[in-house]
Amino acid sequence: MAHADAIVVGGGVVGAACARALARADLTVTLIEGGPFRGASSLAAAGMLAPFVETAAEDPLLGFSVRARDAYRELAPVLREATGIDIGLWTDGILHLAFTEDEVATIRNDVAWQRQSGFAAEWLTPEDLQERAPGISPEALGAALAPEDGALDPLALLDALIKDAEAHGATMVRGEPVGEVMIRNHRVEGVRTATKLYASETVVIAAGAWSGQIKGLPRPVSVEPIRGQMIAVEWPEDEPAAIVYGSSGYVLRRGNEALAGSTMEYVGFDASVTDEGLAHIERSMAQVYPGLEGLTPRRTWAGLRPVTPDGRPLIGPDATVAGLWYATGHGRSGVLLAASTGDLIAKQVTGDPVDHDLTPIDPGRFWSF
């Protein structure tokens, strides 16, 4: 029976970040990835670092999300030096367009509270928009600019996190889905795959939308999949790079492609793309960038985001089983929160002080004892 100080179940960006942080804390770590899972969110993500999109002033995770975004400015060069992998960090801001007077009022109000809270935010006029991104629809009445937001390449991030984890002694196990967590006398003892037992007194559940499918957990995990479909088309020649949100979707440049998304569909573990979903994205894409209308998609795909009832992740210990930890349910913020989630899990596991209010992300908040 293989033994490790810690086992991380799930090899997406969150699981990889947890494995890296635990390995860097001098624990022996086994990272178990059961995939490939069709629709795994890390493989399908756009990689947005956008804490202010669709965020209210009272969001209890806002501070954590902003710090998570900022952490990539330090992490990107560290990973590049350690692994040779450039995670494609882009920090030139995100635009949120207004196409109606009601949207103008709402978005300008968002800019106001963000500035009053000490965050960088600007309101851009239509003239400002055309100067910054001339391909944006002239029908836009203005936009909020979050100048410190951005994006990264999620696949590059995943590769870099795993490579750095392995450099610090972590072992990667691929193609062995964890079927069961082994628990005795309210203490975790390891996990079981179809072919092998892996022993550890620390197990981190980071299997995204599949976290609730693992047997042996002391109670149901409040995570379910939500499908998000996406399209890639050719980015217009000579159009400046940008990340732009409209009223019903977003467009961003990565390389020579425009990535557009996305839907929010409760369809279980169905990761297929649909004519209806793609048509919705194409309409949204054309609203933002009219020059993209009618372009033949280079590729289409869908991801399954792990979402909790209140939209906040589960990060922290199980309330009744010693050594059992959760790092799942990140929804549309998996890439944004991945590295900081890993650091938070490692600090809690090793007993280091945590300077963050853990109540909003406490895994026990949906359960009564």
Side-chain angles (χ1 to χ4, degrees), residues 38 46 75 79 102 208 232 307 343 347:
R38 187 164 180 262
L75 180 60
L79 289 175
D102 285 345
V307 178
D343 290 342
K347 286 180 179 179

Side-chain angles (χ1 to χ4, degrees), residues 84-234:
I85 298 173
D86 184 345
I87 65 172
L89 182 63
W90 193 84
T91 58
D92 287 349
I94 292 179
L95 296 166
H96 189 184
L97 305 183
F99 286 96
T100 68
E101 292 298 339
D102 285 345
E103 289 177 354
V104 169
T106 298
I107 295 174
R108 294 200 72 156
N109 181 66
D110 289 341
V111 170
W113 72 253
Q114 290 163 19
R115 291 173 64 88
Q116 290 164 5
S117 300
F119 300 115
E122 302 174 28
W123 172 256
L124 303 184
T125 66
E127 294 74 23
D128 296 329
L129 269 179
Q130 290 302 309
E131 182 176 347
R132 183 181 178 92
I136 285 179
S137 171
E139 296 183 6
L141 303 179
L145 171 63
E148 297 176 347
D149 285 2
L152 54 77
D153 184 336
L155 296 183
L157 174 66
L158 178 59
D159 289 344
L161 291 171
I162 291 175
K163 187 172 182 178
D164 198 38
E166 291 177 326
H168 285 84
T171 299
M172 181 79 180
V173 177
R174 299 182 185 273
E176 290 193 34
V178 169
E180 182 180 4
V181 174
M182 298 182 294
I183 296 171
R184 180 183 298 178
N185 296 327
H186 303 289
R187 174 171 290 280
V188 73
E189 294 187 332
V191 302
R192 185 193 308 273
T193 71
T195 61
K196 196 170 184 178
L197 300 178
Y198 293 87
S200 181
E201 295 182 353
T202 299
V203 172
V204 181
I205 303 298
W210 288 266
S211 296
Q213 304 294 301
I214 300 170
K215 296 179 180 179
L217 296 173
R219 61 196 60 80
V221 178
S222 303
V223 175
E224 65 175 308
I226 294 185
R227 182 173 67 192
Q229 301 183 49
M230 293 188 65
I231 293 175
V233 299
E234 183 179 0

Side-chain angles (χ1 to χ4, degrees), residues 215-275:
K215 296 179 180 179
L217 296 173
R219 61 196 60 80
V221 178
S222 303
V223 175
E224 65 175 308
I226 294 185
R227 182 173 67 192
Q229 301 183 49
M230 293 188 65
I231 293 175
V233 299
E234 183 179 0
W235 184 263
E237 188 175 354
D238 299 328
E239 177 67 23
I243 303 175
V244 185
Y245 277 81
S247 57
S248 58
Y250 59 80
V251 181
L252 75 153
R253 178 180 177 176
R254 176 162 298 132
N256 62 354
E257 290 185 329
L259 308 185
S262 175
T263 60
M264 292 282 287
E265 304 168 84
Y266 292 86
V267 292
F269 287 91
D270 180 0
S272 59
V273 296
T274 66
D275 291 342

